Amino acid sequence: MSQARHHGGGHRRVRAFRNRVSMLPVLIVSAVVLVDLVGGAGTSWLPLLAAGPALAATTNGPRGVLGVGLLAGILGAALGARDGVPARELAAVLSALAAVALASGLASALRGRRERVLDAVRSVAETAQHALLSPVPATVGPFQVAVRYSAAAAEARIGGDLYALIPTPYGVRLIVGDVRGKGLPAVGTAALVLGVFREAAYDEPDLLAVVDRIERSLARNLGADDFVTAVVAGYPRTGQLEVVNCGHAPPLLVRASGALVTVEPTHPAPPLGLRALTGHTPDLQVLPFSDGDQLLLYTDGVTEARDRGRAFYPLHEGLARHASDEPSRTLDALHDELLAHVGGRLHDDAALLLIRKPTVREVVVPEPSAGGPTSTAPTAPEAALTRQKARSV
């Protein structure tokens, strides 16, 4: 919802800007006429009238360009007669003006065709993004969830960062990763990782086994220099969070007390796809995760975003400022601050995923069991008891 809102706002700003710019050709023609009138007879500004249709080709359609050209031609003929321009010279100026108008109309038609093709490409890219990075609901299992994603290729709105968060028989599991490189190859690798993760997360009771499945798939399909950094996490039982870090930026843990902790890996492991070169395997970290706690996963497009002074965005300080009980509000504030830091446009893909465990006073939800498949919904008596407990609190 928030991402769509950002895109919609951007489209409205672009349309408003184009509407203002589309009036410039008429203003330029009017300015030339005014200058000629003020300059008096004998001063010819007629060649400058060609700037009107030439500029109209960048903002108007063919009809608009020809309309500006016709207006410029009529005014040019009137000014030429008023200033006493010789007939041969006036005919040459008007002929040149007509040629510029026709050429500008053709350029406008070609520009419109390219824009329609680009719009189709954008539509395909948005569809691909929705298929690759499925929208995440506001609640998944026992968690409140929010996601913000910005692709460096802003026009395509798709890049090499990846994320997913799904309920499984072994609790909620999630992944945030960053594919080396950009463009379509990176998108293909991200699709591969997400496909394997979604299958393995349902099949494998052990979170390390999920990571091993992804590693084996990448080892078969990636080039020698390609890799994916990622953090894979799971919530197998009440109050316990599992984290596996494969060469990725460390998550940030916000305690209910407000304390902010960087979850550094106890034994650093290589990115996915490079295990065979190093021989190091990732470790499973187990963290306490209580009511009111939050976990932020992100990609390096956030922490490596620079301002004009080449200073990195201070995510740790930003999260400390904006952390709230609503993950969507927290990420909205972080995302807006990040864009302001870089001057409005990111130069690398950036993803933020925040989960929060609500307190009992906010919502009572079923917890995952200690070791196996769980029901995704409470029974009717359980639901009634849950509502009664929430009201009594």
Side-chain angles (χ1 to χ4, degrees):
M1 293 283 293
S2 177
Q3 293 178 20
R5 187 170 62 249
H6 285 305
H7 291 323
H11 291 326
R12 286 191 293 271
R13 288 191 294 270
V14 170
R15 284 195 297 268
F17 175 75
R18 286 184 174 179
N19 290 336
R20 290 193 296 269
V21 173
S22 64
M23 296 301 298
L24 283 179
V26 176
L27 295 177
I28 288 177
V29 171
S30 302
V32 172
V33 172
L34 180 61
V35 170
D36 188 273
L37 292 175
V38 172
T43 303
S44 179
W45 296 89
L46 301 184
L48 292 180
L49 290 172
L55 179 60
T58 64
T59 58
N60 297 72
R63 291 183 179 179
V65 173
L66 295 179
V68 173
L70 179 61
L71 174 65
I74 294 173
L75 294 175
L79 291 175
R82 172 186 176 275
D83 296 340
V85 177
R88 175 177 289 186
E89 182 179 344
L90 180 58
V93 171
L94 294 179
S95 297
L97 180 58
V100 170
L102 291 174
S104 298
L106 177 60
S108 175
L110 294 176
R111 177 185 57 79
R113 181 179 179 182
R114 287 193 297 269
E115 286 184 349
R116 288 190 293 273
V117 172
L118 181 57
D119 287 340
V121 172
R122 289 173 179 167
S123 177
V124 171
E126 288 184 357
T127 303
Q129 185 191 33
H130 284 297
L132 180 63
L133 302 176
S134 303
V136 176
T139 58
V140 178
F143 297 118
Q144 297 170 283
V145 183
V147 174
R148 298 294 178 270
Y149 176 80
S150 297
E155 296 301 326
R157 301 181 195 128
I158 192 167
D161 285 2
L162 59 97
Y163 62 83
L165 187 146
I166 54 176
T168 76
Y170 311 102
V172 173
R173 287 176 169 174
L174 59 147
I175 183 173
V176 169
D178 188 357
V179 179
R180 177 184 179 273
K182 295 181 176 65
L184 290 179
V187 174
T189 302
L192 173 64
V193 172
L194 290 174
V196 177
F197 169 76
R198 287 170 177 146
E199 288 292 327
Y202 275 93
D203 295 341
E204 303 290 349
D206 186 356
L207 193 64
L208 282 174
V210 176
V211 177
D212 290 341
R213 287 264 295 267
I214 300 174
E215 175 68 32
R216 290 196 299 271
S217 180
L218 291 179
R220 291 192 301 267
N221 292 282
L222 289 189
D225 297 329
D226 296 328
F227 58 85
V228 179
T229 68
V231 171
V232 183
Y235 188 72
R237 56 189 61 86
T238 302
Q240 182 175 316
L241 188 70
E242 297 178 342
V243 177
V244 180
N245 193 326
C246 299
H248 197 75
L252 297 177
L253 179 62
V254 184
R255 294 296 184 190
S257 62
L260 187 57
V261 181
T262 301
V263 185
E264 296 285 356
T266 53
H267 297 283
L272 295 167
L274 297 181
R275 186 184 300 181
L277 300 179
T278 64
H280 295 292
T281 57
D283 282 348
L284 183 72
Q285 292 178 263
V286 180
L287 309 172
F289 200 74
S290 306
D291 291 352
D293 288 348
Q294 304 183 60
L295 185 74
L296 176 66
L297 290 86
Y298 55 93
T299 58
D300 60 9
V302 178
T303 52
E304 295 181 1
R306 297 173 182 262
D307 61 11
R308 292 182 179 180
R310 308 299 294 167
F312 292 114
Y313 174 66
L315 178 61
H316 192 283
E317 291 81 357
L319 182 58
R321 281 192 300 272
H322 300 298
S324 69
D325 293 343
E326 298 180 16
S328 60
R329 186 173 66 186
T330 301
L331 288 197
D332 279 342
L334 282 176
H335 189 265
D336 291 344
E337 188 174 85
L338 176 64
L339 292 181
H341 181 81
V342 299
R345 181 173 182 178
L346 293 168
H347 298 286
D348 193 7
D349 304 329
L352 294 158
L353 188 152
L354 180 63
I355 62 171
R356 179 178 182 270
K357 181 69 165 60
T359 64
V360 177
R361 290 183 178 275
E362 296 167 333
V363 63
V364 180
V365 294
E367 296 283 358
S369 64
T374 59
S375 174
T376 58
T379 63
E382 290 173 338
L385 178 60
T386 294
R387 290 192 294 269
Q388 182 179 0
K389 288 171 66 179
R391 287 195 298 268
S392 65
V393 174

